[in-house]
Structures are given as structure tokens and as C-alpha cells.
Amino acid sequence: MLPDLFLTPRQVLAPDGTVVGPVPDLPPDRLVGFLRWMYLGRYFSDRMVNLQRQGRMGTFGPIAGQEAASVGLAAPLEGRDWLVGSYRELLSYFVKGVPMLALMQVYRGYVGDQYPPEARCLPIQIVIGAHITHAVGIAMAARIAGDDAVALAAFGDGASSEGDVHEAMNFAGVYKAPVVFVLQNNHWAISTHRSRQSAAATLAQRAAGYGFPGVVVDGNDVLATYAVVKEAVDRARAGDGPTLIEAITYRYGAHTTADDPTRYRPDEELKEWQARDPITRYRRFLLDRGLLDEAADRQLQEQVAAEVDAAVEQLEAMSPTPPERIFDIVYAEPTPQLRAQRAEMAARTGGGRRG
Ligand SMILES: Cc1ncc(C[n+]2csc(CCOP(=O)(O)OP(=O)(O)O)c2C)c(N)n1
Ligand SMILES: [Mg+2]
């Protein structure tokens, strides 16, 4: 019989915002800051979808519904820690220090110097599950270098069925790598339901086979997600090895703007999850605690909207990147082959060496 932590989701806040578990000991500005990030994630995601519909943005995968898991997985990381995630972790990347404008550029197809090195985030991964080995490698490298940084790898329920993910977790268990695996179980991998990924009752329980703890958490509860990830980060940093955290959540929107979820997903399911909304729940908690009032709440929402709108304006004032720029960001020193390909592309597109 597996220990309970593998099976029952940890919770601090019930869906109605009442406290049912120990509240992490954080200062009020940090607690309010979590709500600000969640508002930003929701507004950003909705805005990106609207821009795509207007032909002003490339294909985009919305994150609405997953704001608590996204913020809760990134907030416990220190500046020196690494975050390695996918297209569904954009809000986590913002929390870790990647500017919003930088990721908007990515989705517009611009190639810039988008990821500030000090944010310690690998470029968002699109190849499902292929980044988990890299996260383990970073964690091992940090330990060998005597740096006490931790790497956090985030991925989806679909990704959890990929061979790379198993190899990475198995290796991490054997070598006790300072890594934390956060699986955002949003119930769907495009149109494939979670029930098709594994016959196991939880995805976290797979950790038992790798010899490290697996924890299930209510991923729509930002405080619970923060608490379990913080414990796992502390464990990894102390040399006690990896943890697999399964954050149970739900994506409200389509897989991406190229998908139509009404073709495979019952509407009642969406309604059930909207009743457990991560933002409504956390806002209620802050209001009840007297950490927020209606006026401050309105102000937060206005601020994040203005911030996102300003980034959109900045983006739209930018010129498209010259196509040959893609060759400049592969290696620090280009190989002869890349140099030749770059020249060929520049000749075809009429571009020269710019920037
Ligand atoms: C190796 C690989 N196979 C297939 C795809 C196509 N694909 C893109 S997203 C996706 C589903 C991923 O689902 P999940 O891991 O649950 O993440 P979510 O999108 O739900 O966040 C698939 C199959 C891909 N990008 N890479
Ligand atoms: Mg999924």
C-alpha cells in the first residue's frame, strides 16, 4: 500500500477559499503578489488568444485555469535555481524573471535575445517531454560544480508517457540529482484524456518505482502548490534527491488556438472545474484575511491589464527579425556549416549581417 502522499491531493484552501491546511509563512506583500501574478497570467493568456484571432499573433496555447499551479511551481525557486518548462509554463517563466515581451516575441516568430541569462530558464520546450533530461543534466552539472542550485522541470500529463521522462526520472533517482519534477496534470493532452496516459490512480505514484517521493497536490490551490514545491526544492538542495509533484488542474481553453475542444470534451467537465477556479478561491482567501479589499483588488487587475497592453504595444512597434538571425543563436561560435547556411539564407532573403 502506497503512503497517502502519493494518492490524496494536498490542499490549503478549499474551492470556496476556506483554510483547510497550514498556510505557508509568507509576508503579506508576497501573498498578494501571488494573486497579482495569477491575474497577469489570465489576462495575458486571454489577450494572446484574442490577438491570434485578429491575425496579430502566432499559434498560442492558453494557460487560463492553470494559474495557481504555474505560480506555485515557480515562486519557491531562488534566483540561482533553474526552470525548464514547456509552452504551458509561460506564467511560471514570468515569475522566474523572463519578461513578458520576450515570450510575446517568441510567439510572434521573432528571434531576439529573449531569455535573459540571469533568469536561468531554458527556452520553452515544444517537443513533448524532451526537456526533462536537460533539467536533470543541469541539476547534475550544478552539483558537480559545487553550486547549490536546484533545477525544476515542468511538463504535462501527456508528456509523462514519453520515454525521455522515464529515463530522466530514473537517472535522477539513482544519482539523487537536485531536481524537482512538476507534472501539471490538466487532464488533457490535446484530445487524449488523462485516463489514457496510465492505468495508475495517480501519476505521482510512479515516483515509487524510481525510489523517490511522489506528491499529489491541488494545483488550483496556489498556497498548497507553493508549499509542496518549496519542500521539494529544500529537499533537493539539501542533497536528499528528487521529488515528483503532480499538480491537479485543468485547462479552460483549447489546447492551442489551432484546436477545438468542443469536439472531444464535455461542457459539464469545464463547468465543474470553473467552480474550482484558482483565482476566485485565492482572492476570497485574501479578502477574508483582510490582506486585500475591493479597491486594492480592482487596482491590481487594472495594473496587470495596463502592463500586458503596454507589452503588446511595444511588440507591435518592433520590426520582424531578419530570418538569418536564427543561425546566430544556436552556438556561441557558429560552425562552418551554419555560417554557410546563414549566408545562403541571407542571399535568398536579401538580408546581410544585421545585429
Ligand atoms: C514528441 C512530441 N510528440 C507530439 C507532439 C504534439 N503535441 C504537442 S502538445 C501535445 C500534448 C501534450 O500534452 P501534455 O503533456 O498533457 O501537456 P499540455 O499541453 O496539456 O500542457 C502533443 C501530443 C509534440 N509536440 N512532441
Ligand atoms: Mg495535459
Side-chain angles (χ1 to χ4, degrees), residues 173-299:
V174 169
Y175 290 97
K176 283 199 162 196
V179 59
V180 176
F181 301 105
V182 180
L183 191 169
Q184 283 210 61
N185 172 3
N186 65 5
H187 290 79
W188 292 93
I190 312 185
S191 56
T192 302
H193 188 253
R194 149 68 183 95
S195 55
R196 296 285 178 181
Q197 301 297 344
S198 169
T202 72
L203 297 172
Q205 73 194 54
R206 289 177 175 175
Y210 304 122
F212 52 78
V215 185
V216 190
V217 64
D218 182 337
N220 281 11
D221 177 346
V222 69
L223 295 180
T225 308
Y226 172 88
V228 298
V229 175
K230 175 83 173 83
E231 282 168 24
V233 168
D234 290 348
R235 245 177 62 78
R237 207 183 308 283
D240 294 332
T243 307
L244 169 61
I245 294 162
E246 177 183 359
I248 309 215
T249 182
Y250 198 77
R251 79 165 146 79
Y252 289 166
H255 168 69
T256 65
T257 46
D259 169 53
D260 174 8
T262 62
R263 297 182 55 161
Y264 55 83
R265 197 171 76 169
D267 207 36
E268 305 76 66
E269 187 181 280
L270 174 63
K271 290 204 181 85
E272 266 173 46
W273 281 94
Q274 282 170 330
R276 300 172 201 152
D277 186 73
I279 297 182
T280 311
R281 174 186 321 202
Y282 191 56
R283 180 177 173 274
R284 188 72 262 155
F285 162 78
L286 292 177
L287 289 169
D288 290 351
R289 284 244 158 163
L291 293 167
L292 188 75
D293 59 28
E294 297 288 346
D297 182 50
R298 249 195 323 275
Q299 210 183 357

Side-chain angles (χ1 to χ4, degrees), residues 87 127-132 154-166 183 189 197 206:
Y87 51 85
V127 183
I128 297 303
H131 53 305
I132 314 307
F155 53 99
D157 43 298
S160 75
S161 301
E162 289 284 351
D164 286 0
V165 176
H166 295 284
L183 191 169
Q197 301 297 344
R206 289 177 175 175

Side-chain angles (χ1 to χ4, degrees), residues 80-84 120-122 131-145 147 149-152 177-179:
R80 63 190 183 289
D81 295 332
W82 289 85
L83 175 59
V84 186
R120 292 203 161 186
C121 289
L122 289 200
H131 53 305
I132 314 307
T133 44
H134 300 63
V136 175
I138 288 172
M140 293 293 289
R143 190 170 63 198
I144 292 164
D147 170 358
V150 166
L152 188 147
V179 59

Side-chain angles (χ1 to χ4, degrees), residues 76-133:
L77 296 174
E78 305 281 341
R80 63 190 183 289
D81 295 332
W82 289 85
L83 175 59
V84 186
S86 80
Y87 51 85
R88 203 73 72 193
E89 277 87 33
L90 301 191
L91 177 56
S92 313
Y93 272 46
F94 299 157
V95 174
K96 188 70 176 68
V98 175
M100 198 177 3
L101 180 63
L103 287 173
M104 284 178 165
Q105 281 179 268
V106 171
Y107 278 88
R108 179 103 164 192
Y110 292 179
V111 184
D113 302 312
Q114 296 104 343
Y115 295 86
E118 64 278 8
R120 292 203 161 186
C121 289
L122 289 200
I124 51 163
Q125 180 58 275
I126 309 289
V127 183
I128 297 303
H131 53 305
I132 314 307
T133 44

